[in-house]
């Protein structure tokens, strides 16, 4: 079986484990590919460099909504992101979006930076990895203003009502270790309802380590545990989950 971790940050400066050993462990577990996801300009650049050095590693480049107040109106940063999009290691833009739960950046700044990155996605025809928390009522109408955008809402934890709105927008849904330890039955019901052809697996490493590895630093190999959990609650074979989600990766990120 082959698995893909579609969202991790093992290239970050403060990732506490040895990235080389982490990659070996991932491959041994059947995780053949992973996406190193950028949240700032610096770690977007680092992600592209990291991907260039490792087979099966790809990069996404973008600015997280938490960081919007640092970058809004910064034409030089947007120009540099556009350059990074031309690198063969770059397969998507993100993570970008809106986060109204923490509001680390003003909402107006988040929206402006999201729209700038959606424009970049249109120009480059790259898919987008979205971070959206407590902000779908603003996010989905904004997305509707930008035709042709493909992407995934990563770390999706909303209920079925929002799920169906996201699916209607043509987006994929990224599921991770949160589901293995959540007490929220609405989240579990959502995970059971996600169409297999719209599901992606991810870890968000070093965050959100799934059971039974709670308390340890999350690694890409742990994506298999999320797959096992989903197989159990959806009454599907793990091989079916692995095959479908890997095919979805090929479809969305245009990976051979």
């Amino acid at each position: 079986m082959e698995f893909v971790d579609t969202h991790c940050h093992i290239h970050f400066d403060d990732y506490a484990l040895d990235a080389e050993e982490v990659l070996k462990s991932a491959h041994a577990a059947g995780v053949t590919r992973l996406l190193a996801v950028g949240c700032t300009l610096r770690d977007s650049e680092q992600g592209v460099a990291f991907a260039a050095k490792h087979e099966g590693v790809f990069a996404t480049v973008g600015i997280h909504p938490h960081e919007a107040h640092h970058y809004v109106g910064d034409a030089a940063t947007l120009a540099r992101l556009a350059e990074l999009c031309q690198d063969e290691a770059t397969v998507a833009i993100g993570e970008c979006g809106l986060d109204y739960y923490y509001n680390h950046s003003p909402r107006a700044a988040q929206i402006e930076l999201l729209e700038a990155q959606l424009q970049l996605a249109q120009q480059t025809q790259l898919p987008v990895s979205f971070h959206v928390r407590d902000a779908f009522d603003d996010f989905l109408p904004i997305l509707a203003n930008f035709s042709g955008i493909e992407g995934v809402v990563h770390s999706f934890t909303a209920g079925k009502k929002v799920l169906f709105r996201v699916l209607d927008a043509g987006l994929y849904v990224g599921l991770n270790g949160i589901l293995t330890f959540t007490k929220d039955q609405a989240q579990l019901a959502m995970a059971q309802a996600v169409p297999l052809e719209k599901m992606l697996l991810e870890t968000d490493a070093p965050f959100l380590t799934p059971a039974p590895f709670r308390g340890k630093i999350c690694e890409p190999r742990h994506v298999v545990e999320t797959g096992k959990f989903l197989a159990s609650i959806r009454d599907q074979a793990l091989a079916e989950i692995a095959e479908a989600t890997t095919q979805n990766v090929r479809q969305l990120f245009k990976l051979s």
Side-chain angles (χ1 to χ4, degrees):
M1 286 183 288
E2 179 184 5
F3 296 87
V4 182
D5 183 358
T6 60
H7 196 110
C8 70
H9 307 287
I10 67 171
H11 65 293
F12 278 14
D13 288 331
D14 59 357
Y15 189 68
L17 302 178
D18 182 278
E20 302 301 325
E21 293 302 317
V22 165
L23 287 174
K24 290 179 183 178
S25 295
H27 292 156
V31 183
T32 61
R33 285 171 286 183
L34 59 86
L35 272 61
V37 175
C39 293
T40 68
L41 179 57
R42 172 177 167 78
D43 57 55
S44 292
E45 292 175 329
Q46 290 175 317
V48 171
F50 183 75
K53 295 177 181 177
H54 299 93
E55 185 177 357
V57 179
F58 303 89
T60 82
V61 298
I63 308 298
H64 194 286
H66 288 345
E67 309 296 328
H69 63 291
H70 294 302
Y71 292 97
V72 67
D74 185 346
T77 288
L78 292 174
R80 178 59 178 146
L81 286 179
E83 290 178 359
L84 292 172
C85 287
Q86 302 307 312
D87 193 287
E88 63 180 10
T90 302
V91 296
I93 292 168
E95 65 185 281
C96 62
L98 302 174
D99 192 314
Y100 292 176
Y101 181 81
Y102 286 111
N103 281 308
H104 288 329
S105 287
R107 294 185 179 186
Q110 294 186 46
I111 290 171
E112 183 175 340
L113 196 62
L114 170 61
E115 290 177 335
Q117 291 176 91
L118 287 172
Q119 290 176 352
L120 182 59
Q122 283 186 321
Q123 294 165 5
T124 60
Q125 296 186 316
L126 287 174
V128 185
S129 180
F130 291 111
H131 172 111
V132 186
R133 192 169 185 188
D134 290 358
F136 284 98
D137 286 343
D138 279 359
F139 168 74
L140 289 169
I142 291 170
L143 179 65
N145 292 329
F146 294 84
S147 62
I149 299 292
E150 295 183 295
V152 54
V153 180
H154 111 92
S155 195
F156 191 83
T157 56
K160 289 198 291 185
K161 184 176 181 179
V162 176
L163 169 66
F164 297 139
R165 294 173 66 194
V166 166
L167 294 173
D168 285 344
L171 299 176
Y172 288 79
V173 177
L175 302 179
N176 59 36
I178 288 176
L179 297 169
T180 69
F181 57 83
T182 186
K183 304 299 183 183
D184 188 338
Q185 293 303 308
Q187 291 180 1
L188 296 176
M190 171 276 296
Q192 292 172 315
V194 176
L196 200 52
E197 66 271 16
K198 284 296 185 178
M199 180 191 297
L200 297 179
L201 300 180
E202 60 168 76
T203 61
D204 205 18
F207 313 109
L208 307 176
T209 310
F213 296 99
R214 299 295 294 153
K216 298 182 182 296
I217 297 168
C218 194
E219 306 177 37
R221 68 185 176 94
H222 293 148
V223 78
V224 180
E225 300 303 323
T226 298
K228 291 177 180 177
F229 180 81
L230 288 168
S232 68
I233 67 169
R234 293 167 59 95
D235 194 25
Q236 291 176 305
L238 179 60
E240 185 180 6
I241 298 282
E243 181 179 3
T245 54
T246 298
Q247 177 58 35
N248 294 342
V249 168
R250 296 189 185 104
Q251 180 71 26
L252 179 60
F253 298 110
K254 309 300 188 290
L255 302 185
S256 60

